[in-house]
Amino acid sequence: MDEDLPVRLSGLRKRFGTSVALEGVSLTIEPGEVFGYLGPNGAGKTTTIRILLGMLRPSSGTARVFGLDSWRESVAVHRLVGYVPGESALYRRLTGRQHIDYFAHLRHREDDARGAVLAADLDLDLDRPAGALSRGNRQKLSIVLALMSEPRLLILDEPTSGLDPLVQQAFHAMLRSHTERGGSVLFSSHVLGEVQRVADRIGVIRLGQLIAVERLDELRAKSLHRVRASFVDPVPVDRFSALPGLQGLVVTDRTLQCSAPQWALDGLLKRVAEHSVEDFECAEADLDESFMSYYAREATDAS
Ligand SMILES: Nc1ncnc2c1ncn2[C@@H]1O[C@H](COP(=O)(O)OP(=O)(O)OP(=O)(O)O)[C@@H](O)[C@H]1O
């Protein structure tokens, strides 16, 4: 049922004058899921988010949050959503604590104690005015303000670029406890590295079109492994070139190098073992690299 679905986008299209920012985007986000929304600058991520929050009206198609229409029922949508914008929208003169009090007041809720706990987890000083905070600390405050009301859906627009690794860990732990309680997350970014440790699925948007949606564990299974072997004696290249799935195969005299997806490793290893091996190395390529080659291929197929 739609009321249970944190997000349902159906054929979403957005034009700005003659330029098309979104072209028929459809996707759903499930309860308890972290969805990584990936794409280069200008791909349409922020436009999607602004439509979801009822800040922009779609040219056609619909955006629903827990069954509510984002444009027509935006007030009700806002009660269910916590939003961390890419550029934090804070009041320069107000301290962190004053922000927490003000946001709790706006929502008619007693969230201030929870806000202070979240701030402590992120190591954020609440006594300084927002205008005196570094970019990373302003991001921390935006995260606290978005999470303290325990929203059912959290929308994050490139939220961690200014956070150091330790704070990112604390932030990821917060996201995990949010999803363990059934909360969902839409996490937009232009780099896979930012979302790969927390996302369950990723969707790739390019030029306003959703070109791929994939489970992260499936993407990992497709990711390439770099293989290197040295042999005691020279090996014939045709023993290996006939194997399926190998990419960039180079065999020179007594060495072999190639990349291979997980499914091709067994055949390769058995063929290697037919010869006397001096040294053998197999390492999973960086997921970002696999993702980029996959993404480039999808983009070419789509164009
Ligand atoms: N208010 C606007 N008026 C005109 N064009 C706009 C407006 N907002 C966005 N666009 C255009 O729509 C396209 C999508 O922009 P959007 O900001 O959604 O991309 P993005 O993926 O969020 O990129 P970034 O990571 O740079 O924020 C871009 O071509 C952008 O120039």
Side-chain angles (χ1 to χ4, degrees), residues 79-98:
R79 286 200 196 102
L80 303 171
V81 176
Y83 171 47
V84 181
E87 284 303 318
S88 51
L90 300 169
Y91 301 94
R92 293 186 61 76
R93 288 165 188 239
L94 296 190
T95 64
R97 207 172 304 281
Q98 287 167 329

Side-chain angles (χ1 to χ4, degrees), residues 16-294:
F16 290 107
T18 52
S19 81
V20 177
L22 291 178
E23 183 64 74
V25 171
S26 299
L27 68 87
T28 57
I29 300 179
E30 305 285 327
E33 180 176 49
V34 180
F35 189 88
Y37 197 41
L38 289 179
N41 292 335
K45 304 181 297 295
T46 304
T47 302
T48 311
I49 289 173
R50 297 182 75 201
I51 289 175
L52 263 174
L53 292 167
M55 294 153 71
L56 281 176
R57 187 178 194 163
S59 305
S60 59
T62 53
R64 291 188 172 277
V65 173
F66 296 105
L68 300 164
D69 185 278
S70 288
W71 178 251
R72 285 185 289 108
E73 298 167 285
S74 62
V75 174
V77 166
H78 277 218
R79 286 200 196 102
L80 303 171
V81 176
Y83 171 47
V84 181
E87 284 303 318
S88 51
L90 300 169
Y91 301 94
R92 293 186 61 76
R93 288 165 188 239
L94 296 190
T95 64
R97 207 172 304 281
Q98 287 167 329
H99 275 90
I100 288 178
D101 290 345
Y102 179 55
F103 276 65
H105 171 75
L106 283 183
R107 288 188 181 249
H108 307 290
R109 288 175 55 127
E110 302 292 324
D111 298 326
D112 29 349
R114 187 170 149 73
V117 170
L118 292 169
D121 287 349
L122 291 175
D123 198 18
L124 171 66
D125 178 356
L126 287 178
D127 293 321
R128 302 185 68 190
L133 295 175
S134 67
R135 177 157 186 268
N137 282 320
R138 286 199 305 273
Q139 274 177 311
K140 288 183 194 175
L141 181 54
S142 300
I143 290 168
V144 169
L145 296 173
L147 267 172
M148 69 179 198
S149 63
E150 304 196 277
R152 291 173 66 192
L153 171 66
L154 194 58
I155 298 184
L156 311 161
D157 201 351
E158 315 231 2
T160 60
S161 44
L163 301 182
D164 67 52
L166 272 181
V167 177
Q168 285 198 24
Q169 269 183 20
F171 172 57
H172 290 163
M174 281 176 186
L175 292 188
R176 269 190 297 277
S177 84
H178 169 74
T179 54
E180 276 159 13
R181 291 195 304 269
S184 305
V185 183
L186 171 65
F187 192 142
S188 120
S189 176
H190 63 275
V191 282
L192 177 64
E194 197 179 7
V195 302
Q196 72 180 47
R197 264 181 292 152
V198 283
D200 300 299
R201 276 191 308 152
I202 55 162
V204 180
I205 182 166
R206 179 178 168 271
L207 298 173
Q209 295 189 8
L210 196 64
I211 56 170
V213 177
E214 184 102 9
R215 290 199 56 80
L216 205 66
D217 45 10
E218 284 165 11
L219 187 68
R220 276 216 172 86
K222 280 186 200 165
S223 80
L224 293 177
H225 295 247
R226 282 211 210 87
V227 179
R228 247 172 229 274
S230 320
F231 301 95
V232 176
D233 300 306
V235 290
V237 63
D238 54 0
R239 290 295 293 149
F240 297 96
S241 52
L243 287 172
L246 305 194
Q247 297 180 24
L249 176 69
V250 180
V251 179
T252 51
D253 194 28
R254 297 191 300 116
T255 65
L256 168 147
Q257 276 186 46
C258 66
S259 297
Q262 203 174 34
W263 61 265
L265 291 178
D266 185 56
L268 172 61
L269 196 57
K270 285 181 174 139
R271 192 58 53 89
V272 166
E274 289 171 4
H275 304 266
S276 298
V277 177
E278 208 169 61
D279 193 11
F280 185 81
E281 216 180 289
C282 177
E284 194 176 354
D286 184 42
L287 195 58
D288 232 347
E289 210 177 297
S290 307
F291 171 73
M292 285 321 288
S293 68
Y294 169 69

